[in-house]
Amino acid sequence: MIRLAFTNFIRSGGVRIGLVFLLTVGITALLVGKQFSQRQQQSLSDVLAFQQSDFSRQAAIHHDDMGLLLYYLKFSVINQTRPLTGLSIGQRDVNAAVQSVTIRALEGQKYDADLTNPANLLLGNVDFSFVLIYLFPLLIIAFTYSIISDEKENGTWSMVAVQSQHLFCFVGQLFAIRLAVLLAVLLIISGLAISVLDIPLDSAFMLFLATSVGYMLFWFSVCFWVTSLQRSSSTNAMLLLGIWLALLIVLPAALNNYLMARYPVPEAQATTLAQRKGYHEKWDMDKTATVEKFYAHYPQFRQIPAVAMPTDWRWYYAMQQLGDDESAVQAGELKQKLQQREASSRAIARFIPTLHTQLQLSELARSGLGNQLRFLEYTTRFHEKMRLYFYPKIFANAAVSAENWSSFRVDTFADSTPIGPVTVLGPLVIFISLFAGLGWYRFRQTIYQL
Amino acid sequence: MALRIEKLIARQVWVTAFTNRAFLWLSLGIGLLLTYAAVTGWVTVRQQNATGRTYQQQARQDWLSNPDKHPHRMAHYGHFAFRPKAPLSVFDFGMESFLGNTIYLEAHKQNSVNFSEAGFSTGLLRFGEISLAMVLQLLLPLLLFFLGFGTIASDRETGTLKLLLSQGVSWRQLLAGKTLGLMAVMLTLYGPVMLATSALWFRLLEGTIGADQTIRLLLLLGAHFLYLSFFCVIAVLVSARSQTAKTALVSLIGLWLMLTLVLPRASQALGSYLYPAPSKVKFLADIQTDVLKEGDSHNPSDPHYKGLKDSLLMAYQVDSVQKLPFNYSGFVMAEGEKISAHLYNDHFQGLLAIYDQQNRFSKAMAFVDPYLAIRNLSMALSGTDFASYVDFQQQAEQYRYEMAQTMNDLQIRFISNRKPGPTDKPYQIDRKYWQKLPEFTYQPMAVGGVFRHEFIPLLAFVFWVGLLLVVAWRLTKTLKAV
């Protein structure tokens, strides 16, 4: 019986077209992910090449002035791209994976935008997560919306009902066949992904896969429930498409509008303005007062005796430092605002499985806002490290040649925030049980209605 | 009198729609979404424009309140340009969220336009945003399909079609009537949107209504009317071709998914796959390489600037730059700014050309996909497209260049050419000069620019009107009653 049902399913014309379509788009998505990884690699080698040629060039020109040299040098830090990132590109195409900063005031450099074509961003990536989140449900709907209603409309349901001893099991089998076929497609794409993107079989990937399967099961449970309502094929189609529309287009977009209006970020502008003023106005203020404020922040530099140099770099970098110090309040507010956005969107997403899946997949692939905020945080620490390393050398006007400029590596940020499986899978499991339970309950009442 | 039958058929479509409970609920939902879109659009536009205005004024105040100082310090002090949202962005958010709105303008350096909404977004943004345009372009067509899938196919299934045709109703009358009926239903939803958009637009313009903005609004409303009408026609035609209502429904849903979900992403992905753009590091490094080739003003032994120096010394018949009648280092910086700005613009144009190539597929797709046609056109008319953004960027760069050169000019004219001694007061000029630099005000692109940039989508609209008429006309000859 189950073999017949399977052949019957797979032989229907639309099914094979749908499966081929899904596989094609899935493989395309892997190529898109591959290209994304390659571009990240490219910008990594671009930044290495630039740093190597630029550092030695600048060091040669400004060989006798450490302070002036450090005015120009840009140190780079990279937000590590994992192979998994190619599966869920998330916000990585918006936010730059490379930060290049001088040791001057940071706040004016930290938020520098990447070069992007907004038309690409607007229409979005065709990555694996897009295929999973948008297209798989459509196929699930297409394969199941008329699973019983079609038989009823063709007048064959009463024969099926009379002939099978466990009608409920039969319906279950019909669903199981479709689930198995689509799971196979998912596994084929994932298997290819492992080799195309060189994904290590670590716990992050396993959780990624489990989330994908959970997401599919969620949609199957929804379809199961809708089938249990025993409506006509057209009604089922409209109802399921309506659910798809609500979960993938309307609710997320509405939530996005809400978050934007609820948490506007004028703090961003406030920070840059405060930073500019904080630094520039010091040119017209008392030098000693500025340097004293600097010592208040970094008492350790008071001990370094002043040396004669063409420019008073201690004062200059003190001014720069105060640009950051005096915009710290605004910068803190900005950070807090962004964390609020992140926290509330995650909280709300728990109730909308599509959103939850997208956010968790990008979290696992390290391509969400959380990762970006941690990268900015790391950039701040990196910048501080560079400052503290070079301040004493500048103040003592150390010899430029004493530093090995060609060995300056590009720093890498590897995001290793732990991700618990319960947070990721919990909401999905709850929704799956809810809809499967509702469907089962309803079927018990309606299954023998002919 | 001549249109009596069409009117009757149209009326039947209208009545069926408004007695359908599901349709009433869906319309209510769409109505709520439209209201939500209008409200959030309004709030965001007001919010962002208020923020922009506040900080633009504050930045200007900061600039003016600088004391007497060396003009080059002012060139480094710099200024900000905040990008205002266009009034019609209340209707179509377009690319707004992916575009930066704040740029710091300083000497020697072209900064990026920062703080796009997308940079601060959790990834939710990638699901899209709800704007009036989004509801009209994406959701309303689907509603029209839901409403229209049965228009003729149901009649065929129930046998009414045969009756109608045998009573002397022609296919032309039938198709026209059904389409007009659907369009009438569409207008009951779209009409209020037109009114609301006009009202919001009117409020946002605060009484200063120009011809330019009016043309934009009218074109926008007209284009959306045409766009929605296409979907009425498509629904009826597909329904007329389908054996059963269910087939019609499934075909229409498939078509809708293809037009709004698959084709737009696929064509854009193809474009960006085939024409890779340089990384930011590479882009900036290339500019630097070119600048260094031309001449490095910060390198004392650079040949370009050495040549410049020699020719100046020769022309003024002096033996050192200190004896020149003007400030030499100001002159060098003016030259450096000229070179670097010129090279930056060249590279920037090159980058824009790559982006154009990337967008080429989805633009050409307008002939296959009316959704892409309306989307590009609507963004352009609303002033939320890439071209409007580039226009802002170029005006900001122009301002930056003039600011830097004004300061260089002040230095050339008013700063002494001798190096100050260790006990000298630093050289500076009077603060009254800071006022001489006019404030940055963005001049929105004229609507003529839209016709230039969106020529293809406009043409696609003409094409679609023609195509649907031809197809409908052909179908009137070939359709069968069963």
Side-chain angles (χ1 to χ4, degrees):
Chain A
M1 186 71 175
I2 192 159
R3 269 234 314 270
L4 267 176
F6 176 77
T7 338
N8 188 24
F9 166 66
I10 211 79
R11 282 219 181 129
S12 7
V15 170
R16 270 171 298 172
I17 295 173
L19 289 176
V20 169
F21 168 76
L22 195 58
L23 262 177
T24 320
V25 184
I27 291 168
T28 316
L30 296 184
L31 294 180
V32 169
K34 180 83 184 164
Q35 196 192 33
F36 169 79
S37 306
Q38 280 166 348
R39 283 190 193 162
Q40 296 286 311
Q41 283 302 321
Q42 184 59 46
S43 69
L44 184 84
S45 50
D46 286 347
V47 78
L48 276 172
F50 177 74
Q51 183 155 315
Q52 248 152 29
S53 70
D54 196 59
F55 275 25
S56 44
R57 190 184 66 83
Q58 300 272 19
I61 298 176
H62 310 293
H63 57 87
D64 54 355
D65 196 343
M66 193 65 148
L68 188 58
L69 175 62
L70 265 306
Y71 174 92
Y72 288 111
L73 290 191
K74 276 182 162 182
F75 300 95
S76 297
V77 54
I78 285 167
N79 190 1
Q80 188 192 43
T81 310
R82 302 187 179 203
L84 204 53
T85 317
L87 289 185
S88 178
I89 297 171
Q91 290 294 89
R92 280 298 191 99
D93 54 352
V94 173
N95 298 317
V98 179
Q99 282 269 27
S100 298
V101 290
T102 68
I103 66 164
R104 287 177 271 156
L106 176 67
E107 290 302 331
Q109 318 176 54
K110 200 169 160 185
Y111 301 101
D112 275 357
D114 201 1
L115 279 185
T116 49
N117 175 2
N120 292 343
L121 303 180
L122 179 67
L123 288 167
N125 284 302
V126 183
D127 60 356
F128 172 79
S129 72
F130 165 74
V131 178
L132 176 79
I133 289 176
Y134 283 81
L135 302 185
F136 265 93
L138 285 175
L139 272 261
I140 296 173
I141 292 171
F143 288 172
T144 57
Y145 79 98
S146 59
I147 217 166
I148 293 179
S149 52
D150 219 19
E151 305 250 11
K152 283 191 172 174
E153 281 149 27
N154 293 330
T156 46
W157 181 244
S158 42
M159 296 216 299
V160 176
V162 170
Q163 283 177 2
S164 68
Q165 287 169 337
H166 302 282
L167 195 51
F168 185 74
C169 284
F170 174 69
V171 173
Q173 275 172 7
L174 291 181
F175 273 93
I177 289 166
R178 285 147 181 82
L179 176 64
V181 169
L182 284 172
L183 269 182
V185 175
L186 179 75
L187 288 180
I188 292 172
I189 298 176
S190 315
L192 286 173
I194 294 170
S195 62
V196 172
L197 296 169
D198 295 320
I199 299 173
L201 295 172
D202 55 4
S203 60
F205 178 69
M206 291 305 157
L207 198 50
F208 194 94
L209 205 57
T211 313
S212 310
V213 173
Y215 180 71
M216 278 177 63
L217 285 173
F218 162 73
W219 276 102
F220 267 101
S221 68
V222 171
C223 292
F224 181 69
W225 170 66
V226 169
T227 309
S228 76
L229 301 178
Q230 307 275 17
R231 304 289 179 86
S232 73
S233 296
S234 294
T235 314
N236 283 350
M238 286 203 275
L239 197 56
L240 284 168
L241 192 72
I243 295 175
W244 182 89
L245 211 59
L247 288 181
L248 279 158
I249 312 252
V250 176
L251 280 176
L255 183 57
N256 185 60
N257 282 27
Y258 165 75
L259 287 177
M260 257 165 76
R262 172 76 181 72
Y263 302 108
V265 277
E267 290 85 355
Q269 283 86 353
T271 308
T272 16
L273 250 70
Q275 187 265 133
R276 171 179 79 154
K277 202 171 175 198
Y279 155 58
H280 278 282
E281 68 182 12
K282 302 297 179 295
W283 283 95
D284 312 307
M285 291 183 170
D286 181 36
K287 266 190 182 189
T288 345
T290 302
V291 177
E292 272 310 314
K293 277 189 194 163
F294 178 70
Y295 287 150
H297 189 150
Y298 296 117
Q300 67 266 43
F301 296 130
R302 197 188 286 274
Q303 274 78 39
I304 301 176
V307 261
M309 46 180 127
T311 317
D312 186 352
W313 288 116
R314 192 181 299 237
W315 172 54
Y316 177 79
Y317 283 104
M319 293 196 287
Q320 287 283 356
Q321 178 75 48
L322 291 184
D324 278 351
D325 288 0
E326 289 176 15
S327 57
V329 177
Q330 288 87 342
E333 283 168 359
L334 173 60
K335 199 174 119 185
Q336 204 188 350
K337 208 50 152 319
L338 296 182
Q339 272 161 356
Q340 275 175 346
R341 274 190 172 191
E342 166 80 350
S344 58
S345 71
R346 268 159 174 273
I348 300 172
R350 265 181 277 160
F351 302 98
I352 307 172
T354 46
L355 270 185
H356 176 79
T357 308
Q358 175 69 76
L359 290 184
Q360 295 304 331
L361 290 185
S362 40
E363 188 66 28
L364 284 164
R366 310 292 183 189
S367 59
L369 180 64
N371 169 267
Q372 172 64 11
L373 293 179
R374 289 189 290 272
F375 178 50
L376 288 179
E377 194 81 348
Y378 186 82
T379 309
T380 311
R381 289 205 300 276
F382 168 76
H383 182 258
E384 184 74 0
K385 198 172 81 186
M386 286 293 139
R387 264 181 176 167
L388 292 179
Y389 179 72
F390 282 113
Y391 277 168
K393 294 181 196 278
I394 295 168
F395 301 158
N397 201 15
V400 168
S401 55
E403 197 71 46
N404 185 2
W405 295 107
S406 54
S407 79
F408 251 91
R409 294 269 165 267
V410 171
D411 203 349
T412 303
F413 167 61
D415 191 352
S416 56
T417 321
I419 300 167
V422 178
T423 350
V424 182
L425 298 175
L428 285 176
V429 171
I430 293 174
F431 275 100
I432 294 167
S433 338
L434 177 72
F435 282 103
L438 275 177
W440 180 75
Y441 179 75
R442 184 91 185 137
F443 258 128
R444 283 175 41 132
Q445 300 165 341
T446 61
I447 197 150
Y448 285 102
Q449 284 174 8
L450 301 179
Chain B
M1 196 60 201
L3 288 171
R4 203 175 57 88
I5 294 172
E6 282 92 333
K7 267 194 201 156
L8 264 177
I9 298 172
R11 192 164 165 70
Q12 180 259 339
V13 175
W14 167 279
V15 171
T16 320
F18 283 95
T19 45
N20 180 345
R21 281 224 339 260
F23 169 72
L24 290 177
W25 281 110
L26 280 175
S27 310
L28 185 68
I30 296 252
L32 285 176
L33 271 183
L34 285 168
T35 316
Y36 184 71
V39 171
T40 48
W42 169 261
V43 169
T44 329
V45 173
R46 297 274 294 202
Q47 237 168 27
Q48 199 180 327
N49 280 349
T51 308
R53 257 200 308 276
T54 311
Y55 288 109
Q56 191 77 61
Q57 280 164 7
Q58 195 185 320
R60 178 68 179 173
Q61 273 310 312
D62 289 350
W63 167 273
L64 290 177
S65 62
N66 270 287
D68 300 352
K69 60 165 78 176
H70 192 291
H72 194 57
R73 287 260 54 79
M74 282 307 272
H76 274 285
Y77 190 83
H79 193 36
F80 286 91
F82 297 94
R83 191 170 56 85
K85 280 189 182 237
L88 278 171
S89 68
V90 72
F91 173 77
D92 189 345
F93 301 172
M95 294 180 180
E96 275 297 319
S97 294
F98 296 94
L99 306 173
N101 53 37
T102 305
I103 180 166
Y104 178 42
L105 310 166
E106 58 178 326
H108 316 309
K109 194 166 170 247
Q110 287 81 0
N111 288 308
S112 53
V113 190
N114 292 340
F115 307 136
S116 72
E117 199 52 55
F120 294 146
S121 163
T122 55
L124 265 183
L125 179 61
R126 307 320 277 280
F127 286 96
E129 294 170 283
I130 293 197
S131 65
L132 289 169
M134 175 270 194
V135 179
L136 293 183
Q137 294 168 9
L138 196 70
L139 301 182
L140 220 49
L142 188 64
L143 184 73
L144 291 172
F145 279 178
F146 277 168
L147 210 60
F149 77 92
T151 41
I152 293 179
S154 298
D155 286 352
R156 177 176 282 128
E157 269 185 291
T158 53
T160 328
L161 188 59
K162 256 193 263 177
L163 276 176
L164 272 174
L165 292 173
S166 61
Q167 280 177 349
V169 176
S170 71
W171 270 109
R172 195 187 54 75
Q173 286 169 324
L174 192 63
L175 293 182
K178 297 278 187 186
T179 310
L180 288 174
L182 263 189
M183 282 170 67
V185 180
M186 177 265 281
L187 271 178
T188 54
L189 278 167
Y190 181 48
V193 179
M194 292 205 270
L195 289 178
T197 307
S198 310
L200 290 174
W201 167 85
F202 187 77
R203 279 288 310 265
L204 281 169
L205 282 175
E206 287 161 358
T208 52
I209 295 168
D212 194 88
Q213 283 294 334
T214 315
I215 295 174
R216 280 171 186 267
L217 178 75
L218 292 177
L219 271 178
L220 199 60
L221 298 179
H224 278 86
F225 173 73
L226 266 184
Y227 172 76
L228 291 169
S229 306
F230 290 165
F231 283 87
C232 297
V233 178
I234 294 173
V236 172
L237 292 185
V238 171
S239 184
R241 293 263 304 168
S242 303
Q243 282 306 316
T244 63
K246 188 187 142 194
T247 336
L249 177 65
V250 174
S251 320
L252 285 171
I253 289 178
L255 186 66
W256 180 82
L257 285 170
M258 211 58 198
L259 295 182
T260 58
L261 187 72
V262 179
L263 277 181
R265 286 207 186 217
S267 50
Q268 193 65 36
L270 184 66
S272 60
Y273 191 80
L274 291 179
Y275 303 101
S279 70
K280 187 179 178 186
V281 179
K282 178 87 166 60
F283 177 74
L284 294 178
D286 285 352
I287 295 174
Q288 191 184 334
T289 313
D290 280 3
V291 171
L292 291 179
K293 239 186 266 166
E294 195 98 0
D296 180 7
S297 61
H298 288 104
N299 183 352
S301 53
D302 180 87
H304 178 87
Y305 289 93
K306 198 162 173 309
L308 187 75
K309 187 167 99 180
D310 291 345
S311 66
L312 278 177
L313 295 181
M314 186 95 95
Y316 285 89
Q317 296 289 316
V318 285
D319 56 5
S320 80
V321 289
Q322 274 78 38
K323 290 184 186 153
L324 286 172
F326 53 85
N327 183 285
Y328 175 67
S329 64
F331 188 84
V332 167
M333 274 190 295
E335 174 74 5
E337 193 69 60
K338 201 170 96 190
I339 292 175
S340 63
H342 172 69
L343 288 171
Y344 177 86
N345 286 335
D346 276 359
H347 280 263
F348 187 64
Q349 289 304 328
L351 184 72
L352 292 182
I354 297 179
Y355 289 168
D356 259 351
Q357 285 178 318
Q358 293 187 336
N359 301 345
R360 194 183 287 164
F361 288 99
S362 62
K363 278 215 166 151
M365 273 292 175
F367 288 102
V368 182
D369 184 350
Y371 174 70
L372 279 170
I374 192 74
R375 192 158 186 177
N376 285 324
L377 188 62
S378 165
M379 283 195 294
L381 287 169
S382 305
T384 53
D385 62 333
F386 189 49
S388 310
Y389 173 71
V390 169
D391 185 51
F392 166 81
Q393 237 178 330
Q394 280 167 344
Q395 286 184 33
E397 166 57 17
Q398 185 62 32
Y399 181 88
R400 186 200 72 77
Y401 183 72
E402 272 156 24
M403 175 186 77
Q405 293 300 40
T406 309
M407 294 301 126
N408 285 334
D409 189 49
L410 288 172
Q411 178 171 349
I412 293 170
R413 287 194 291 151
F414 299 120
I415 297 294
S416 163
N417 217 352
R418 280 187 315 106
K419 269 203 160 95
T423 51
D424 285 352
K425 221 170 134 280
Y427 293 142
Q428 54 190 30
I429 62 171
D430 195 274
R431 58 177 295 195
K432 70 171 190 232
Y433 288 106
W434 312 154
Q435 286 194 6
K436 292 256 158 80
L437 185 81
E439 166 66 314
F440 173 79
T441 37
Y442 172 61
Q443 298 299 327
M445 194 166 69
V447 73
V450 175
F451 298 125
R452 220 170 35 250
H453 290 289
E454 301 304 320
F455 179 67
I456 295 176
L458 276 169
L459 204 64
F461 262 87
V462 180
F463 167 78
W464 275 92
V465 173
L467 181 77
L468 289 176
L469 285 176
V470 169
V471 172
W473 181 77
R474 279 198 47 120
L475 284 182
T476 56
K477 310 275 174 223
T478 55
L479 279 170
K480 302 266 180 326
V482 280

